[in-house]
């Protein structure tokens, strides 16, 4: 089907894609949304594994654009489970009539910039060819699953499932022997949820995680009303914090070191008692840039873990080593209790990696672990994977996948030099990639894109692209900031280290949501300096 004169194609019907379509349509643009899933929800559509839930409080992990929506939607608990989140996105899609703007079960195979027409030609896996002025990628940070290439998987007689492709109809694990590979945020949620359902659970751990114990109270009507009274203030405040949550660091730079050891201990206890990511990004910036301060936090967490495990030898094997919080900090809610159960076994695969699948299970160090189901909680090609898995070609046919294979570059995580009129909501080198409450950053970027398109239209322009100098300036600024932090020692998806051959660069802008917001505002108010517009 050929469809011309569309203003924008929006890829993805998750948090940002739904909102982008809503904002552009409201501003009078013609929009076609494309979504490979059968329905809305993005991350919360795909990640329907047991125990999936968000690690941002529901009251800040939501849309702010509609007072009616804020007043009518009731969150049931502090950290919403996946089914409730999915219901929310379905409700938003219905409430604002967004589904009619999307084609579902329709993935983007390729997109080419046509310099003569000044348009993108987008080709889908359903044979559609769409011509659009703007290509807006809302394809997600953590949406391209990473499956390790274990040999012998075709001979395994049991079932292998990646958590991000969990069967929609669910899977009955009762009485089964289940192996879980991976102990990141996802593995933690699966393990703590299924441990008491399965006959045997074998956890294959390469790197022990550094989680904070979650507190997840149910919300009463009174809680919800108290939150609603605060919504106007919270909505205004979120973009003026370091991490996009409703709170900011408790201590200004330098203050932490002035506290006595007892005061620091009390402060950590009280942050810990919050049961949230506040322990990680809500204390002081030194946690992320001063090795001595970081070591205090790391040791505090290790002591909390030790106290949870009955067997001291097992506790040592579960203890995370090294720096705290330089990889994404997960929340746990029963994870360590699972390891006190007789039916749960921990297998270290750092020194002796998983060798292969056998017909009956997984083999490590010559020992076979018989399994009925192998759960791969092995993560994602984060930040870039969803984009590079499409064949996107910009000016002069340059491939985005090849460009980023050489070096991971972007201008403020919003646009890439050489790819005119392409926008990357939650793209690399912006806070939205990893270091913030995603919903804050995504909405800020979506609004920025909408404002940019409105500004172009009002001046009779139709093309915008960051100059090579502007991109260089941003990448250098980003790298300089990263160099002042402990993130330089990161070895996870935060730097692309989990994907073989991926160029290393810290994925997320580390300067803070507030700083980033101001820089985006400056661009908008000053007519996008450093961007070529015509
Ligand atoms: P992840 O953090 O990348 O963890 C992947 C896990 O798989 C790691 O433990 C990794 O070990 C392991 N692994 C990968 N390949 C392996 C192999 N060949 N052999 C053995 N182990 C292997 O992925 P994730 O847990 O899916 O989480 C990704 C991100 O999604 C999180 O950081 C978070 O931002 C988000 N998330 C959020 C929530 C929430 O909101 N509550 C829930 C889930 C996920 P190594 O560490 O040694 O590489």
């Amino acid at each position: 089907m050929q469809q011309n004169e569309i203003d924008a194609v929006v890829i993805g019907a998750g948090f940002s894609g739904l909102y982008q379509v809503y904002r552009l349509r409201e501003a009078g643009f013609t929009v076609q949304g494309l979504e490979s899933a059968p329905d809305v929800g993005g991350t919360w559509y795909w990640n329907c594994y047991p125990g999936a839930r968000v690690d941002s409080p529901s009251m800040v992990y939501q849309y702010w654009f509609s007072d009616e929506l804020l007043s009518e939607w009731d969150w049931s608990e502090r950290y919403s489970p996946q089914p409730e989140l999915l219901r929310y996105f379905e409700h938003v899609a219905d409430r604002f009539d967004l589904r009619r703007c999307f084609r579902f079960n329709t993935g983007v195979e390729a997109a080419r910039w046509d310099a003569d027409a000044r348009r993108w030609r987008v080709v889908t896996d359903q044979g559609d060819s769409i011509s659009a002025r703007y290509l807006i990628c809302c394809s997600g940070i953590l949406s391209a699953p990473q499956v390790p290439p274990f040999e012998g998987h075709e001979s395994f007689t049991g079932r292998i499932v990646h958590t991000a492709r969990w069967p929609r109809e669910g899977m009955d694990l009762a009485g089964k022997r289940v192996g879980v590979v991976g102990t990141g945020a996802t593995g933690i949620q699966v393990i703590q949820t299924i441990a008491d359902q399965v006959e045997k659970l074998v956890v294959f751990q390469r790197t022990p995680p550094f989680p904070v114990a979650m507190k997840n109270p149910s919300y009463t009507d009174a809680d919800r009303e108290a939150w609603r009274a605060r919504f106007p203030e919270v909505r205004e405040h979120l973009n003026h914090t370091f991490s996009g949550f409703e709170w900011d660091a408790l201590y200004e730079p330098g203050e932490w070191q002035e506290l006595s050891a007892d005061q620091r201990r009390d402060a950590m206890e009280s942050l810990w008692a919050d049961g949230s990511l506040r322990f990680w990004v809500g204390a002081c910036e030194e946690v992320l840039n001063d090795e001595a301060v970081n070591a205090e936090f790391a040791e505090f967490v290790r002591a909390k873990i030790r106290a949870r495990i009955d067997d001291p030898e097992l506790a040592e094997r579960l203890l995370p080593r090294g720096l705290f919080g330089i990889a994404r900090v997960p929340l746990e809610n029963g994870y360590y209790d699972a390891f006190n159960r007789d039916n749960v076994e921990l297998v270290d695969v750092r020194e002796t990696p998983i060798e292969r699948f056998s017909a009956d299970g997984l083999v490590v160090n010559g020992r076979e672990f018989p399994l009925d189901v192998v759960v791969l909680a092995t993560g994602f090609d984060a930040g870039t994977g969803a984009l590079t898995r499409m064949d996107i070609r910009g000016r002069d046919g340059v491939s985005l996948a090849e460009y980023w294979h050489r070096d991971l570059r972007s201008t403020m995580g919003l646009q890439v030099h050489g790819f005119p009129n392409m926008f990357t909501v939650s793209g690399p080198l912006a806070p939205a990639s990893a270091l913030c409450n995603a919903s804050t950053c995504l909405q800020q970027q979506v609004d920025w894109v909408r404002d940019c398109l409105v500004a172009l239209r009002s001046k009779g322009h139709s093309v915008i692209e960051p100059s090579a100098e502007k991109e260089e300036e941003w990448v250098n600024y980003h790298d300089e900031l990263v160099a002042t932090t402990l993130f330089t020692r990161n070895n996870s998806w935060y730097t692309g280290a989990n994907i073989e051959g991926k160029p290393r660069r810290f994925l997320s802008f580390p300067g803070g949501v507030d700083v980033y917001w101001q820089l985006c505002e400056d661009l908008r108010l000053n007519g996008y300096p450093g961007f070529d517009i015509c």
Side-chain angles (χ1 to χ4, degrees), residues 49 53 55 142 182-186 189 206-207 328 377 379-380 493:
Y49 59 82
R53 75 173 64 241
D55 59 7
L142 295 152
T183 53
T186 304
Q189 292 184 332
R206 192 163 64 182
T207 308
R328 173 77 184 201
F380 302 87
W493 66 264

Side-chain angles (χ1 to χ4, degrees), residues 53 77 79 188-189 192-193 211-217 308 331-337:
R53 75 173 64 241
E77 51 192 316
Y79 296 105
I188 285 174
Q189 292 184 332
Q192 68 195 14
T193 306
V212 167
M214 167 192 276
K215 284 204 179 135
N216 188 27
R308 295 271 297 279
L331 296 180
E332 65 82 24
N333 199 358
Y335 178 67
Y336 292 105
D337 309 314

